[in-house]
Amino acid sequence: MLRIKDITSYLESIAPLSLQESYDNAGLIVGDPFAKVTGALICLDSTEEVIAEAIKNKCNLVIAHHPIIFGGLKKLNGKNYVERTVMMAIKNDIAIYAAHTNLDNVSQGVNAMICSKLGLTDTQILSPKTGLLRKLVTFCPVDKAGKVRQALFAAGAGQIGNYDECSFNAEGFGTFRGSDDTNPYVGERGKQHRENELKIETIFPQYLEPAVIKALLNSHPYEEVAYDIVPLGNVHPRVGSGMVGEFKKEMDEKTFLKSVKSKMECGVVRHTAFTGKKIKRVAVCGGAGSFLLKAAIGAGADAYVSADFKYHEFFDAEGKILVSDIGHFESEQFTKDLFYSFLTDKFPNFAVRLTKINTNPINYF
């Protein structure tokens, strides 16, 4: 029996909640995590129409990109669409879950989908985050080091870019003396023991710390396991804002804009003046992305595809890059397909539906 928690925990293994921005409200917003899940409806925005669609299709879980609640709700009187949507979900036992900036910030998330739609290759995070990595240092008898290493790797430690099972190992000796209340793996109580040990060092993202420490303690033979957790200032190459990649072949600016308009299925593309350069290297950011314009220029991008640029922010391109504003909804609309792919790969026999409701609040005349 699948529970709502089974679905949300899997999504959070891909886009951990700890990676959301401080202003965000991702996660299970409405609903009982331990309730049996009958089906999931995937959308970009939770609205009353979407909840009604979920009820009609017997889906008691709505998975959205945008959280229906951003700030706190002090009252539930139905005075606006947020309150009405939440009330409708509660009355009908519909859970609402959102993966927002946490899904934006992972390498297989929203921006990877945009890159895929545009046909960009050799992609990487445009603005990687710092302070998210930790280094584990531990000490283990030589004959048990392999078991401990593999347990740490299985818990998610040891990944650096496209490499995994990364560690550094140095041989030395450790000393210890157990009291009368100990049952040492090696040595005798009350006597100092010297043991040949390996010093094992490996890194992991902060959100995996509980799992990594659990793996260490469960695989290590000692009663008292010595280890250090060291915060690192390194950038995390797989976590951050935006992405940048390249086309296999360069194209002129008009051809590029036509391609963007077609592949991203947008009715209008607002853009800066042509720079006269060919387009090969392109930066992207789903949703409001003007904050990454300098990073896009710094990354040597010929063009930047994003949304929600204000009038004066177009001037900031200063002829160095072609800015293409395709609209907020348009830049994130394929996030629904991303959710669908994740869930159907993991739970092939689970009922997952894409909403048929167009929740874009902006219309074009």
Side-chain angles (χ1 to χ4, degrees):
M1 178 183 73
L2 275 179
R3 301 172 300 170
I4 288 173
K5 185 176 178 61
D6 297 323
I7 304 296
T8 60
S9 293
Y10 173 65
L11 291 175
E12 287 165 18
S13 72
I14 297 169
L17 293 181
S18 61
L19 298 183
Q20 67 181 304
E21 300 297 335
S22 58
Y23 60 80
D24 204 2
N25 190 37
L28 186 62
I29 296 171
V30 174
D32 177 5
F34 298 101
K36 177 182 177 182
V37 59
T38 59
L41 182 65
I42 299 172
C43 62
L44 198 65
D45 307 280
S46 302
T47 63
E48 296 167 85
E49 292 80 8
V50 169
I51 300 301
E53 185 183 14
I55 296 168
K56 178 182 177 181
N57 289 291
K58 296 181 171 55
C59 296
N60 67 338
L61 173 62
V62 169
I63 298 172
H65 182 44
H66 296 137
I68 183 64
I69 301 174
F70 255 96
L73 284 178
K74 293 185 176 181
K75 297 178 181 179
L76 284 173
N77 295 324
K79 67 180 180 181
N80 57 47
Y81 87 94
V82 173
E83 293 183 9
R84 290 192 299 271
T85 300
V86 171
M87 290 169 63
M88 188 176 183
I90 293 172
K91 286 179 180 179
N92 291 277
D93 291 325
I94 306 291
I96 301 177
Y97 181 85
H100 190 214
T101 53
N102 50 322
L103 191 60
D104 292 333
N105 283 332
V106 294
S107 60
Q108 67 272 48
V110 174
N111 297 307
M113 182 57 114
I114 297 173
C115 289
S116 176
K117 295 295 290 186
L118 293 177
L120 297 171
T121 61
D122 300 322
T123 57
Q124 60 190 52
I125 297 292
L126 177 60
S127 180
K129 291 187 179 294
T130 61
L132 295 178
L133 293 174
R134 300 290 182 266
K135 179 166 72 171
L136 169 70
V137 182
T138 190
F139 310 87
C140 178
V142 174
D143 65 333
K144 298 296 181 182
K147 178 183 178 181
V148 171
R149 273 196 303 268
Q150 288 306 312
L152 294 174
F153 297 155
Q159 184 160 350
I160 303 176
N162 292 324
Y163 293 83
D164 63 4
E165 299 194 0
C166 301
S167 69
F168 179 78
N169 303 266
E171 191 167 354
F173 67 87
T175 65
F176 51 84
R177 182 175 66 180
S179 71
D180 291 339
D181 296 324
T182 62
N183 182 27
Y185 171 71
V186 288
E188 300 179 35
R189 292 179 219 168
K191 293 183 180 180
Q192 186 187 89
H193 178 77
R194 171 171 166 159
E195 180 71 17
N196 287 335
E197 294 180 332
L198 276 186
K199 177 184 180 182
I200 303 171
E201 299 184 29
T202 189
I203 67 170
F204 61 90
Q206 180 185 12
Y207 63 85
L208 286 181
E209 184 169 329
V212 169
I213 298 305
K214 181 179 179 181
L216 172 65
L217 298 181
N218 287 343
S219 62
H220 202 291
Y222 288 172
E223 283 187 305
E224 298 291 344
V225 181
Y227 65 90
D228 301 325
I229 301 293
V230 182
L232 301 178
N234 308 47
V235 298
H236 194 316
R238 290 178 172 270
V239 176
S241 303
M243 294 196 88
V244 61
E246 296 190 354
F247 291 122
K248 291 181 179 179
K249 293 183 180 180
E250 64 183 21
M251 63 185 78
D252 63 58
E253 291 169 299
K254 285 187 177 180
T255 301
F256 167 73
L257 290 177
K258 288 179 181 178
S259 176
V260 170
K261 185 176 181 180
S262 173
K263 291 179 178 179
M264 296 305 295
E265 299 179 16
C266 45
V268 174
V269 178
R270 300 191 305 154
H271 64 89
T272 52
F274 290 149
T275 65
K277 297 188 299 182
K278 295 290 186 179
I279 305 298
K280 184 172 178 63
R281 188 166 175 82
V282 178
V284 308
C285 178
S290 61
F291 72 102
L292 285 176
L293 178 56
K294 288 184 179 179
I297 295 171
D302 305 307
Y304 180 36
V305 179
S306 189
D308 293 356
F309 269 73
K310 297 179 181 179
Y311 175 84
H312 291 285
E313 291 170 338
F314 280 93
F315 286 106
D316 295 334
E318 296 188 292
K320 300 175 183 177
I321 192 171
L322 177 66
V323 172
S324 309
D325 184 327
I326 64 174
H328 197 119
F329 176 89
E330 289 79 4
S331 71
E332 296 179 332
Q333 61 183 310
F334 301 110
T335 305
K336 301 190 299 294
D337 300 310
L338 191 63
F339 281 128
Y340 186 87
S341 176
F342 289 152
L343 292 176
T344 53
D345 285 348
K346 178 66 174 178
F347 307 103
N349 298 319
F350 174 60
V352 182
R353 293 174 176 268
L354 294 174
T355 182
K356 295 181 179 180
I357 306 296
N358 183 344
T359 60
N360 190 358
I362 298 172
N363 292 275
Y364 303 100
F365 183 72

